[in-house]
Amino acid sequence: MAQPNSVMCSNTPARAWWDVQAYELDIVFDTATNSISGSNTLLAKVVAPAADSLQLDLQEALQIDSVLMAGKRLQVRGQGSTYYLSEGFAGMAPGDSFRCTIYYHGAPVMAQRAPWDGGLVRTTDGKGQLWMAMACQGSGAYMWFPCKNFNGDEPERVTLKYTVPSGLTAIGNGRLRGKVTTGNTTTYTWSVQNPINNYDITFYIGDYTHWSDTFAGAKGPLSLDYYVLRENEQKARKQFAVVKPMMACFEEKMGPYPFYEDGYKLVDAPYLGMEHQSAVAYGNEYKMGYLGRDRSKTGVGLTFDFIIIHESGHEWFGNSITAYDPADTWIQEGFTSYSETIFAECLEGKQASFRYQQGKKRIIRNDKPVQGQYNACDEGSGDHYDKGAFVIHMIRMIMDDDTRFFAMLKAISAKFYHQLVTSNDIETFINQYSGKDFSKLFEQYLRHKELPVLLRQTTATGTAFQWSNCIPGFDMPLRILLPGNKATWIYPVAGKWTGYAHKGKIKADPDFLVGDTPGKPANQ
């Protein structure tokens, strides 16, 4: 039974008084039955006077068996996927901390079309060996372990102890700290030393082979680890060679890799891909583009492996900088989608990268606002990927200073390093850093679905322009192309004709995302 949005999607009173400091998972995987059993030890800090109860979340397919705190077994009340603990917290005050261990078991829901839906993914490799993994973006880690399933609270560190049948490898986030075989099982212990959002915490289980490398990065040596199915090693070594140039590009344009302490891993996954922090899921079938296709239809999209670039870009936007509420998913998906354009620029040059960006217009649906509703688990339109990227691209165009634009991206990475943010945080920072007021642009493109349309009117001295199909006062500057493809700027305002001494066939620069109107094309 799905829980009400007020319970699952907001910082309820039973969540708001405590802050997660750490999770310590100790899980045994029964691969024969797809079930798991074990515990999650929760370390938390009190940040407000304790409420009557503490809320834990665990999908109904699994169940909590018991909870121990300070040697005492606590009473647990359950309703659907939500559990409440109401003992042991009376009198706790801000600054206090507590530790409790939640024991649980069950078989996680099987994903039907991961990564677009959440759940366990189980298949076999080319040799018939078991291969399984977890994908829970959008739903959260409550799909497989008890936690505070709320975007706005991240553990500062995580320990992952996975026990699997010997002969299989269990991979988690962060660094491998130990491997112990006892009888016919092997336990792998992984440690994450940086804040991590809960949907990024994951596991992969299979017959993996592994090799390591080192990247000479902005903050010193960065460990690179690759875990692939044995049958894929030869082609993986060739395909993953892009990681070093990608890291060099992203560090130059967006700032240092955010998780040096935990390293970078790329892991063969039985689904397309996911931005699992320090353990990026790869399932692009060792093809260039997006499963061998170019989403931009320009040819540029086939010059790189989309999944490696996109999911790794999330380490900066999505993992280090994370939206407090899913409504602001545009931050992580928009900036990360633009990281594709950034890498194309490093690889093929600015002209090619701009063609790639322009080509993705065809994917944008304008079906509903990019920004979702708050406290409702609403990520807004799927346009938060490519329309979100166009918001960033148009800001770059209007700034008209690439050196300052990329300095701004690095400043964003530094300012909000390892932080939870809102759209307002990012919008305010961009306005202040750029020295330009993009408020109307953000309002139109993030919170309304319609594209602004450029109207024009021939006058005795040239052409007059105004914005329509937009919010009142919309005033985005626009670069236009005159006959002969000569570029110049105009400054239209909604509802007000402004004249310019420009004549002939005029069109909007293709690096802007604007609409068309019959008989008066603005962007053709």
Side-chain angles (χ1 to χ4, degrees):
M1 178 177 68
Q3 297 299 301
N5 284 339
S6 61
V7 174
M8 290 301 291
C9 304
S10 63
N11 201 16
T12 63
R15 285 171 165 167
W17 64 270
W18 57 285
D19 179 74
V20 177
Q21 297 296 293
Y23 290 135
E24 298 175 358
L25 296 181
D26 188 349
I27 297 174
V28 177
F29 293 87
D30 184 341
T31 56
T33 62
N34 294 333
S35 63
I36 59 180
S37 62
S39 64
N40 179 21
T41 297
L42 165 68
L43 286 77
K45 179 173 68 177
V46 179
V47 294
D52 292 337
S53 59
L54 178 148
Q55 178 182 336
L56 292 173
D57 307 296
L58 182 65
Q59 198 175 61
E60 286 178 90
L62 303 101
Q63 66 182 56
I64 291 178
D65 300 315
S66 62
V67 178
L68 295 181
M69 187 169 74
K72 180 182 177 182
R73 183 165 178 160
L74 304 185
Q75 184 178 357
V76 181
R77 295 184 291 114
Q79 180 182 1
S81 299
T82 305
Y83 292 79
Y84 295 94
L85 311 178
S86 54
E87 299 175 284
F89 307 109
M92 286 190 176
D96 291 343
S97 60
F98 61 91
R99 176 189 183 100
C100 61
T101 300
I102 308 112
Y103 295 89
Y104 75 108
H105 77 280
V109 168
M110 302 295 291
Q112 298 303 307
R113 50 188 297 270
W116 311 117
D117 67 335
L120 181 68
V121 182
R122 180 188 175 114
T123 185
T124 56
D125 62 22
K127 298 179 180 179
Q129 286 269 56
L130 170 73
W131 188 22
M132 61 193 293
M134 173 57 61
C136 60
Q137 184 178 2
S139 299
Y142 92 118
M143 296 196 76
W144 64 284
F145 70 85
C147 62
K148 185 178 185 177
N149 200 60
F150 176 61
N151 266 37
D153 192 358
E154 298 180 343
E156 303 300 310
R157 61 189 187 281
V158 173
T159 301
L160 307 168
K161 196 173 183 180
Y162 297 153
T163 301
V164 295
S166 295
L168 296 175
T169 300
I171 302 162
N173 309 81
R175 294 190 182 278
L176 181 63
R177 300 299 185 186
K179 174 185 174 183
V180 178
T181 297
T182 305
N184 59 0
T185 64
T186 301
T187 300
Y188 294 82
T189 301
W190 299 84
S191 173
V192 180
Q193 297 300 310
N194 289 288
I196 182 170
N197 57 65
N198 78 359
Y199 67 75
D200 266 347
I201 304 171
T202 196
F203 62 83
Y204 308 86
I205 299 171
D207 182 22
Y208 284 96
T209 189
H210 163 248
W211 75 94
S212 298
D213 202 348
T214 303
F215 170 68
K219 295 173 68 174
L222 171 64
S223 63
L224 307 176
D225 286 279
Y226 305 103
Y227 286 85
V228 303
L229 299 182
R230 294 184 186 279
E231 64 206 62
N232 291 337
E233 181 176 359
Q234 185 175 355
K235 54 188 175 183
R237 285 182 179 272
K238 178 181 178 181
Q239 197 81 349
F240 293 176
V242 73
V243 168
K244 284 186 177 181
M246 174 193 72
M247 283 291 178
C249 174
F250 285 172
E251 288 207 328
E252 177 190 354
K253 304 296 188 183
M254 300 192 297
Y257 176 73
F259 305 107
Y260 270 73
E261 300 84 354
D262 295 322
Y264 171 88
K265 289 199 299 296
L266 200 52
V267 186
D268 249 341
Y271 50 84
L272 181 61
M274 192 78 75
E275 63 262 32
H276 296 139
Q277 186 173 309
S278 65
V280 173
Y282 176 80
N284 201 41
E285 299 177 1
Y286 298 93
K287 297 176 179 178
M288 301 301 270
Y290 183 96
L291 291 172
R293 303 190 301 274
D294 178 6
R295 296 174 73 245
S296 74
K297 300 290 187 182
T298 64
V300 180
L302 292 176
T303 62
F304 59 89
D305 187 313
F306 174 91
I307 291 297
I308 295 176
I309 303 307
H310 181 92
E311 304 302 348
S312 298
H314 271 303
E315 295 280 43
W316 283 259
F317 292 95
N319 297 348
S320 177
I321 301 173
T322 307
Y324 179 88
D325 189 287
D328 291 332
T329 294
W330 83 268
I331 298 169
Q332 42 218 61
E333 296 299 354
F335 278 93
T336 299
S337 293
Y338 200 66
S339 75
E340 303 160 24
T341 300
I342 290 172
F343 182 71
E345 186 167 346
C346 290
L347 191 68
E348 297 289 322
K350 184 173 179 177
Q351 186 176 8
S353 73
F354 276 32
R355 286 203 313 273
Y356 177 77
Q357 181 63 38
Q358 295 162 12
K360 292 199 294 178
K361 284 180 182 177
R362 53 180 292 279
I363 306 169
I364 297 170
R365 298 172 296 176
N366 302 302
D367 56 342
K368 58 182 181 179
V370 166
Q371 189 177 74
Q373 298 297 310
Y374 290 101
N375 300 315
C377 294
D378 177 14
E379 295 185 348
S381 169
D383 282 348
H384 55 219
Y385 289 88
D386 298 301
K387 193 172 183 179
F390 251 103
V391 167
I392 298 155
H393 189 62
M394 291 188 296
I395 287 170
R396 177 182 180 178
M397 296 298 298
I398 294 166
M399 287 178 68
D400 201 22
D401 183 339
D402 280 355
T403 299
R404 186 160 178 78
F405 171 76
F406 286 115
M408 183 177 75
L409 292 189
K410 289 190 279 191
I412 291 172
S413 293
K415 169 72 173 178
F416 301 108
Y417 179 77
H418 292 180
Q419 290 186 35
L420 295 154
V421 300
T422 65
S423 188
N424 183 64
D425 293 330
I426 299 298
E427 293 172 40
T428 299
F429 185 88
I430 289 175
N431 285 342
Q432 292 175 346
Y433 191 98
S434 68
K436 298 180 182 294
D437 186 359
F438 291 107
S439 301
K440 297 291 187 182
L441 185 153
F442 287 125
E443 180 68 24
Q444 180 67 49
Y445 284 92
L446 299 181
R447 292 178 274 279
H448 296 265
K449 68 177 183 178
E450 296 82 11
L451 290 182
V453 172
L454 181 68
L455 300 182
R456 82 275 315 275
Q457 189 178 77
T458 301
T459 68
T461 57
T463 307
F465 301 93
Q466 70 168 286
W467 288 118
S468 68
N469 198 46
C470 57
I471 61 173
F474 183 71
D475 58 355
M476 182 179 75
L478 180 69
R479 200 167 84 155
I480 59 171
L481 302 179
L482 305 175
N485 272 339
K486 180 182 178 182
T488 191
W489 288 90
I490 59 173
Y491 301 88
V493 178
K496 177 184 177 182
W497 289 107
T498 304
Y500 294 85
H502 304 319
K503 297 181 179 181
K505 187 176 181 180
I506 298 169
K507 60 182 180 180
D509 189 303
D511 288 305
F512 284 79
L513 182 65
V514 297
D516 297 339
T517 182
K520 297 177 180 179
N523 194 358
Q524 60 180 359

